[in-house]
């Protein structure tokens, strides 16, 4: 197979005479051939992921939509136009480009996501983690197929055979196009830099939320999800980690090496550390802010005010740096805001949610940092940070560093443990008692939303959350039953800064899409979801079902956040009769149906009966009556004739429609009559089964063990603990066991490799002396020969000398 590189459109148009381009057709996105029924034959996009959430659709934020075909193991790139030909629709170009990996992908892809500039796309699954670079080579055999370079990420950790380690969440970093954040089942958060090393992580953070031997349950040490922070103060350097018991922890600061940040944002937190940290009367605040200033000045050397003013830098690049005697502290668990002597147990974890925590979402709306936790029982727990995040280090716990020959940091690894918290968070604390003291920010509970999802399995429901890119107050909840929209109407800090005195309004929940086919037990889950928006204020959602059916829905945004106002003065009762008349189409005007107008007869003289018709007065009277009759009744008759003649086709069409409906009704009645016998048989079977079950129930009621005493309070508490263990703790223990097995397997492999290397070194050491001994032996033999020859020569010389001496004497 031969390849040639893609040419720009201007160059490709010059070769139309040689290779004519295929005509491009613009079709509605839901009618595109990629989502046709023929493309769905044999597709494996169904819910076969074994409990994992799937999303096989991604959008680059402009004009390209990507869809992964699990059956053909290829990526479709669709060029789309938003709001054309009308604002409610989306059209796509056909045929689409097909992007093929240059390596064989032997795993099932569950999720795809695109980086910030749209140059690379992540392909993640339970058995593999790859990145496809979207600008590749065009195949000469098929002009619509592009072969793209595809590389594996952390193959020794996540893709090795028999490895029990699972990737829980993979996400692009919001401030870098080449950095990936990966949270795995071994409780380690890693950051990979695709531009430098694909096998080893650039940064590794070993999460230890509980000290050794202090864990009361397994769910408190098993992470499930994470999210990067937004563009707000220290949130941009924060990583939020969710654990299975619902506790949330924060890592701050975490910055990818080489990432680019706005100079104004860095200067804002730098000034905040100087103003509220160094000038504080609290020694802890001064110490924490000094460490933060040291880290900022080393990570961003251009932060100096004079240097920044001279160079006028719009952005700053993060340099590789780490404090050599300190590691990041795992801040948390985040507690709810307590008022006075509120129960501390409820401050850590809300008791109103069922099951275990399964997914997490961070959303920045103006000045409010919103944290949403989804539970397997179908609830959404919505909180807001009641205070700002600050970096916290654990002094005396140095990290492990890997440096080059110039002592530049290439990679780092550290163990992150939480610090002890003395008191729960309270809202009546002064500013000096909360800022830069190392306390994690408290949570302000906004609402707990129950989606009322059917409980189909013991593991509960899977919920994935997304933010509307146009209206950040709206959150989409994607679950097995479809899509729900949750709109936040009250944001504490945003409302306070705007000066609006609003009442606290609960979030509104609206069902957007229902994928259940009649029964809740047989859902058709979505395998793809993406939210689109344009610069004109229009918003859409695109969903792809397991049968590769595309759904496009326009979402209203302009009136969702407006308060509900009811004008009681202008409210009028609704006349149902009038409503029916308005809804009914007018075949004949009401003027004609009301009849001719009532005509007032002219004033007649008293002796009108005695007047002869042939007289002048009689003729005048008859003429006047005839004129009135002609103006009213004859004209009315003409109007009726014209109206009936004009509406005759419409009446005919209505009659035809009624006849057609009557025929359809007859056909349905015939079908019902044909099925009546089958229904009667099914009813008889159901009645027999009901009678049989009643008999069994009666026999069971007569058994001696039926009449049991109700459980006591202690027994009920013990039963709830057992239920919690079976629903939450068992999964957490299994994941912990898998992580330990993965570590043991890597350790044994390392031990085998080290033992083998040592044996090879010993063999090399043993082989080297043998060779030297043989060389020495040969050299000794040669030396012995030379020595013997020399001894003979010496003997000859001595005999010659003796002979000369004897001759002289």
């Amino acid at each position: 197979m031969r390849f040639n590189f893609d040419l720009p459109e201007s160059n490709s148009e010059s070769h139309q005479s040689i290779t004519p381009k295929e005509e491009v057709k613009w079709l509605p996105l839901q009618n595109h051939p990629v989502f046709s029924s023929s493309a769905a034959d044999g597709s494996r996009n169904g819910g076969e992921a074994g409990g994992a959430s799937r999303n096989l659709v991604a959008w680059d934020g402009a004009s390209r939509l990507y869809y992964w075909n699990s059956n053909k193991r290829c990526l479709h790139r669709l060029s789309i136009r938003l709001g054309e030909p009308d604002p409610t629709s989306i059209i796509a170009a056909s045929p689409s480009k097909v992007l093929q990996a240059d390596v064989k992908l032997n795993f099932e892809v569950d999720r795809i996501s695109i980086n910030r500039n749209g140059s690379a796309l992540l392909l993640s699954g339970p058995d593999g983690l790859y990145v496809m670079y979207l600008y590749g080579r065009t195949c000469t055999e098929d002009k619509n197929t592009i072969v793209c370079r595809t590389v594996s990420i952390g193959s020794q950790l996540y893709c090795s055979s028999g490895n029990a380690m699972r990737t829980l969440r993979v996400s692009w970093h919001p401030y870098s196009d080449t950095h990936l954040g990966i949270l795995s089942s071994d409780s380690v958060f890693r950051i990979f830099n695709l531009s430098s090393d694909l096998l080893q992580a650039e940064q590794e953070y070993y999460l230890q939320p509980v000290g050794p031997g202090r864990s009361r349950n397994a769910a408190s040490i098993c992470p499930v999800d994470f999210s990067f922070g937004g563009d707000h103060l220290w949130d941009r350097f924060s990583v939020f980690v969710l654990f299975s018991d619902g506790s949330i922890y924060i890592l701050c600061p975490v910055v990818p090496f080489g990432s680019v940040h706005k100079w104004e944002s860095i200067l804002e937190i730098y000034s905040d550390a100087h103003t509220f940290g160094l000038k504080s009367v609290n020694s802890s605040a001064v110490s924490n802010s000094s460490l933060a200033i040291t880290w900022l000045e080393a990570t961003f050397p251009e932060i100096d005010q004079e240097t920044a003013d001279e160079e006028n830098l719009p952005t700053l690049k993060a340099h590789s740096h780490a404090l050599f005697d300190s590691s990041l502290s795992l801040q948390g668990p985040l507690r709810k805001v307590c008022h006075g002597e509120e129960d501390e147990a409820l401050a850590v974890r809300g008791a109103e949610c069922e099951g275990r925590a399964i997914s997490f979402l961070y959303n920045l709306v103006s000045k409010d940092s919103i944290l949403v936790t989804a539970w397997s029982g179908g609830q959404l727990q919505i909180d807001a940070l009641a205070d700002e995040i600050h970096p916290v280090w654990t002094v005396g716990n140095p990290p492990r560093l890997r440096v080059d020959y110039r002592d530049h940091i290439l990679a780092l690894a550290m163990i992150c443990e939480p610090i002890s918290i003395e008191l729960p968070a309270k809202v009546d604390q002064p500013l000096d008692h909360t800022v830069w003291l190392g306390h994690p920010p408290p949570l302000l509970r906004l609402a707990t939303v129950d989606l009322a999802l059917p409980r189909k399995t013991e593991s509960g429901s899977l919920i994935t959350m997304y933010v509307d890119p146009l209206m950040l107050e709206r959150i989409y909840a994607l679950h097995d039953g479809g899509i729900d929209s949750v709109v936040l109407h009250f944001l504490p800090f945003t409302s306070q800064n705007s000066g609006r005195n609003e009442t606290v309004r609960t979030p509104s929940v609206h069902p957007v899409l229902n994928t259940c086919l009649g029964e809740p037990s047989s859902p058709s889950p979505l395998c793809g979801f993406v939210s689109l928006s344009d610069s004109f204020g229009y918003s859409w959602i695109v969903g792809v079902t397991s049968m590769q059916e595309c759904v496009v829905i326009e979402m209203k945004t302009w009136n969702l956040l407006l308060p509900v106002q009811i004008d009681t003065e202008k409210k009028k009762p609704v006349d149902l009769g009038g409503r029916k008349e308005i809804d009914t189409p007018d075949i004949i005007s009401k003027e004609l149906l009301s009849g001719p107008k009532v005509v007032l007869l002219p004033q007649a003289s008293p002796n009108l009966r005695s007047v002869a018709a042939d007289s002048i007065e009689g003729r005048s009277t008859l003429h006047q009556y005839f004129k009135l009759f002609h103006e009213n009744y004859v004209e009315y008759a003409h109007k009726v004739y014209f109206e009936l003649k004009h509406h005759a086709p419409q009446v005919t069409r209505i009659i035809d429609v009624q006849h057609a409906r009557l025929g359809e009704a007859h056909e349905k009645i015939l079908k019902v009559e044909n099925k009546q016998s089958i229904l009667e048989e099914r009813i008889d079977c159901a009645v027999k089964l009901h009678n049989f079950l009643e008999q069994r129930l009666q026999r069971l009621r007569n058994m001696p063990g039926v009449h049991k005493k109700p459980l006591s309070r202690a027994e009920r508490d013990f039963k709830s603990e057992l239920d919690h263990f079976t629903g939450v703790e068992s999964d957490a223990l299994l994941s912990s066991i898998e992580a330990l097995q993965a570590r043991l397997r890597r350790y044994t492999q390392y031990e085998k490799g080290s033992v083998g290397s040592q044996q090879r070194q010993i063999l090399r050491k043993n082989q080297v002396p043998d060779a030297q001994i043989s060389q020495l032996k040969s050299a000794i033999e040669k030396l012995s020969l030379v020595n013997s020859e020399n001894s003979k020569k010496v003997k000859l010389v001595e005999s010659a000398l003796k002979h000369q001496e004897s001759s002289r004497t």
Side-chain angles (χ1 to χ4, degrees):
M1 183 180 293
R2 297 181 303 169
F3 302 92
N4 59 350
F5 289 94
D6 280 339
L7 297 175
E9 294 183 0
S10 59
N11 295 338
S12 61
E13 290 177 359
S14 61
H15 299 277
Q16 289 182 356
S17 59
I18 301 175
T19 306
K21 295 177 63 177
E22 187 175 356
E23 183 180 358
V24 177
K25 298 180 181 179
W26 291 92
L27 305 173
L29 181 60
Q30 59 271 22
N31 298 333
H32 199 275
V34 172
F35 307 111
S36 62
S37 59
S38 60
D41 295 338
S43 177
R44 292 174 290 184
N45 287 349
E48 301 175 1
S53 60
R54 299 164 60 86
N55 191 4
L56 304 180
V57 181
W59 179 48
D60 66 348
S63 61
R64 288 181 175 179
L65 190 70
Y66 295 90
Y67 170 67
W68 176 261
N69 191 325
S70 297
N71 184 31
K72 299 180 180 180
R73 297 185 185 273
C74 64
L75 185 70
H76 294 275
R77 189 182 71 189
L78 306 175
S79 298
I80 60 174
R81 293 178 181 176
L82 302 176
E84 293 186 13
D86 55 83
T88 62
S89 61
I90 302 175
I91 58 177
S94 178
S96 62
K97 292 290 185 180
V98 178
L99 278 62
Q100 195 77 35
D102 61 348
V103 296
K104 189 176 181 180
L105 303 178
N106 296 322
F107 70 99
E108 189 73 18
V109 177
D110 286 342
R111 299 179 67 88
I112 66 172
S113 61
I114 195 168
N115 64 348
R116 187 177 55 174
N117 63 0
S119 61
L121 187 128
L122 173 68
L123 304 172
S124 62
D127 301 323
L129 187 62
Y130 284 78
V131 170
M132 177 185 290
Y133 294 95
L134 302 178
Y135 299 98
R137 306 180 301 270
T138 302
C139 178
T140 57
E141 296 181 0
D142 187 0
K143 293 297 182 181
N144 291 324
T145 302
I146 301 175
V147 179
C148 299
R149 176 173 172 258
T150 306
V151 296
S152 176
I153 308 300
S155 58
Q156 296 179 353
L157 293 173
Y158 310 115
C159 305
S160 59
S161 60
N163 193 358
M165 187 187 304
R166 296 178 291 109
T167 56
L168 303 176
R169 172 67 66 183
V170 186
S171 176
W172 292 98
H173 198 280
Y175 301 108
S176 176
D177 297 322
T178 59
H179 283 83
L180 278 173
I182 303 176
L183 179 65
S184 53
S185 59
D186 59 346
S187 299
V188 181
F189 174 72
R190 297 177 175 88
I191 294 181
F192 283 83
N193 188 358
L194 306 185
S195 62
S196 61
D197 196 344
L198 299 175
L199 298 178
Q200 295 184 355
E202 178 186 89
Q203 302 177 38
E204 291 183 333
Y205 300 93
Y206 292 81
L207 308 179
Q208 300 291 337
V210 183
R214 299 180 182 178
S215 176
R216 295 183 179 179
N217 51 19
S220 61
I221 61 175
C222 294
V224 294
D225 201 354
F226 84 94
S227 178
F228 292 108
D231 190 11
H232 175 69
L233 296 181
W234 286 98
D235 288 21
R236 63 177 49 85
F237 299 137
S238 300
V239 178
F240 299 84
V241 183
L242 174 70
F243 285 79
S244 183
D245 63 342
S247 58
I248 302 173
Y249 292 83
I250 299 176
L251 284 175
C252 179
V254 176
V255 57
F257 299 159
S259 58
V260 179
H261 302 268
K262 293 186 294 185
W263 177 79
E264 294 85 357
S265 302
I266 307 301
L267 182 61
E268 183 179 8
I269 59 178
Y270 186 71
S271 303
D272 176 79
H274 278 278
T275 304
F276 298 100
L278 293 181
K279 297 180 181 180
S280 177
V281 296
N282 195 309
S283 60
S284 299
V286 174
S287 176
N288 293 330
S289 59
S290 299
L291 291 175
I293 292 172
T294 303
W295 182 83
L296 283 173
E297 291 177 349
T299 306
F300 304 98
E302 304 88 356
I303 194 61
D304 183 34
Q305 185 67 32
E306 297 179 359
T307 306
D309 291 339
E310 292 176 0
E311 299 182 3
N312 193 17
L313 299 175
T315 58
L316 298 178
K317 185 177 181 180
H319 292 68
S320 58
H321 175 72
L323 300 180
F324 291 96
D325 61 342
S326 303
S327 296
L328 293 185
S329 173
L330 190 61
Q331 304 182 43
L334 303 187
R335 298 170 175 258
K336 289 174 55 178
V337 171
C338 296
H339 300 272
E341 301 295 333
E342 192 175 347
D343 188 12
E344 295 185 9
L346 294 178
V348 179
R349 179 182 184 272
E352 63 272 11
C353 298
E354 300 177 359
R356 68 184 190 280
I358 54 176
S359 62
F360 178 78
L361 175 68
Y362 172 91
N363 184 20
L364 179 64
V365 185
S366 186
K367 299 294 183 180
D368 289 276
S369 299
I370 307 299
L371 308 182
V372 186
T373 304
W375 294 78
S376 60
Q379 295 87 18
L380 301 182
Q381 189 174 292
I382 305 175
D383 301 300
L385 291 181
D387 202 351
E388 300 296 344
I389 300 175
H390 294 100
V392 181
W393 285 269
T394 302
V395 182
N397 186 14
R400 297 287 300 272
L401 303 178
R402 180 163 58 91
V403 298
D404 58 5
Y405 66 96
R406 293 178 297 180
D407 291 337
H408 291 171
I409 298 177
L410 300 178
L412 60 87
M414 60 182 66
I415 298 176
C416 303
E417 299 176 343
I419 58 175
S420 59
I421 302 175
E422 299 178 358
L423 296 173
K426 296 181 180 181
V427 294
D428 53 353
Q429 293 282 345
L431 188 62
D432 295 339
H433 290 73
T434 57
V435 178
W436 287 102
L437 295 182
H439 294 164
L443 295 177
L444 180 62
R445 180 61 49 82
L446 298 182
T448 300
V449 178
D450 191 355
L451 300 178
L453 301 180
R455 192 71 177 268
K456 303 185 301 299
T457 59
E458 296 180 357
S459 60
S461 302
L462 292 175
I463 303 175
T464 310
M465 297 169 291
Y466 302 91
V467 179
D468 192 324
L470 184 63
M471 191 177 70
L472 300 178
E473 293 86 351
R474 178 160 53 192
I475 299 171
Y476 297 109
L478 178 64
H479 46 78
D480 293 339
I483 306 172
D484 290 336
S485 170
V486 181
V487 181
L488 305 178
H489 297 285
F490 174 75
L491 301 171
F493 295 101
T494 303
S495 302
Q496 183 180 0
N497 293 334
S498 61
R500 295 177 296 178
N501 188 13
E502 294 183 354
T503 58
V504 179
R505 295 177 57 193
T506 58
S508 59
V509 184
H510 306 280
V512 178
L513 181 63
N514 183 14
T515 57
C516 293
L517 301 176
E519 298 180 0
S521 59
S522 60
S524 175
L526 295 172
C527 66
F529 173 85
V530 68
S531 178
L532 313 178
S533 62
D534 62 0
S535 58
F536 296 100
Y538 293 97
S539 178
W540 303 265
I541 62 172
V542 177
V544 179
T545 64
S546 59
M547 300 303 295
Q548 283 189 303
E549 297 174 348
C550 181
V551 180
V552 180
I553 303 175
E554 182 195 10
M555 302 302 297
K556 301 295 183 182
T557 57
W558 64 271
N559 60 348
L560 287 180
L561 298 179
L562 297 178
V564 179
Q565 297 180 356
I566 300 176
D567 191 356
T568 57
E569 296 180 358
K570 297 182 179 180
K571 190 174 180 181
K572 297 181 180 179
V574 180
D575 187 5
L576 296 178
R579 179 71 175 270
K580 291 181 179 179
E581 290 182 0
I582 293 174
D583 294 339
T584 305
D586 295 333
I587 299 176
I588 300 177
S589 63
K590 295 180 180 179
E591 182 181 359
L592 296 181
L593 293 176
S594 60
K597 297 180 180 180
V598 178
V599 181
L600 297 178
L601 297 177
Q603 187 68 28
S605 58
N607 54 356
L608 181 63
R609 294 181 178 274
S610 60
V611 177
D614 296 337
S615 63
I616 297 174
E617 185 177 0
R619 290 181 179 179
S620 176
T621 303
L622 290 175
H623 179 71
Q624 188 174 3
Y625 277 102
F626 179 76
K627 182 179 180 181
L628 291 174
F629 176 79
H630 184 274
E631 290 178 355
N632 292 278
Y633 296 97
V634 176
E635 291 182 0
Y636 174 75
H638 282 289
K639 290 181 180 180
V640 170
Y641 173 76
F642 177 78
E643 192 81 12
L644 293 177
K645 184 178 180 181
H646 178 71
H647 288 285
Q650 184 178 357
V651 174
T652 304
R653 185 167 58 254
I654 293 174
I655 293 173
D656 295 339
V657 171
Q658 296 296 333
H659 280 296
R661 293 181 62 184
L662 182 61
E664 293 177 357
H666 280 298
E667 292 179 357
K668 291 180 179 180
I669 291 173
L670 292 176
K671 291 181 180 179
V672 171
E673 290 177 353
N674 294 332
K675 294 180 180 180
Q676 184 177 0
S677 59
I678 301 175
L679 292 175
E680 289 178 353
E681 292 178 359
R682 293 181 64 183
I683 291 172
D684 294 338
C685 294
V687 170
K688 293 180 181 178
L689 181 60
H690 177 72
N691 296 332
F692 175 72
L693 293 176
E694 279 188 349
Q695 294 176 1
R696 289 190 61 186
L697 182 61
Q698 190 64 31
R699 288 196 297 267
L700 291 173
R701 286 176 179 175
N702 295 330
M703 293 179 67
V706 174
H707 305 285
K708 295 181 179 180
K709 295 181 180 180
L711 296 177
S712 63
R713 183 175 181 180
E715 291 173 343
R716 289 196 301 269
D717 295 340
F718 183 68
K719 184 177 181 299
S720 63
E721 290 181 3
L722 290 178
D723 294 339
H724 178 72
F725 183 84
T726 56
V728 178
E729 299 295 328
S730 59
D731 296 338
L733 286 172
L734 288 176
S735 61
S736 300
I737 292 171
E738 290 177 357
L740 290 175
Q741 289 177 352
R743 290 185 179 181
L744 179 61
R745 189 176 292 108
R746 291 201 306 273
Y747 179 76
T748 53
Q749 291 176 357
Y750 174 76
E751 288 293 330
K752 291 180 181 178
S754 62
V755 170
S757 62
Q758 291 178 1
Q759 292 178 355
R760 287 192 296 271
Q761 291 177 1
I762 293 172
L763 289 176
R764 291 195 189 97
K765 291 180 181 178
N766 294 332
Q767 291 174 1
V768 170
D770 293 336
Q772 290 179 357
I773 289 171
S774 62
Q775 291 178 0
L776 288 173
K777 286 182 179 180
S778 61
I780 289 171
E781 291 178 356
K782 291 180 181 180
L783 288 173
S784 63
L785 293 175
V786 172
N787 191 13
S788 61
E789 292 178 356
N790 289 334
S791 61
K792 291 179 180 180
K793 290 179 181 180
V794 169
K795 289 179 180 180
L796 291 174
V797 171
E798 289 180 352
S799 63
L801 289 174
K802 290 179 179 180
H803 180 69
Q804 290 179 359
E805 289 178 356
S806 62
S807 62
R808 288 177 184 177
T809 54

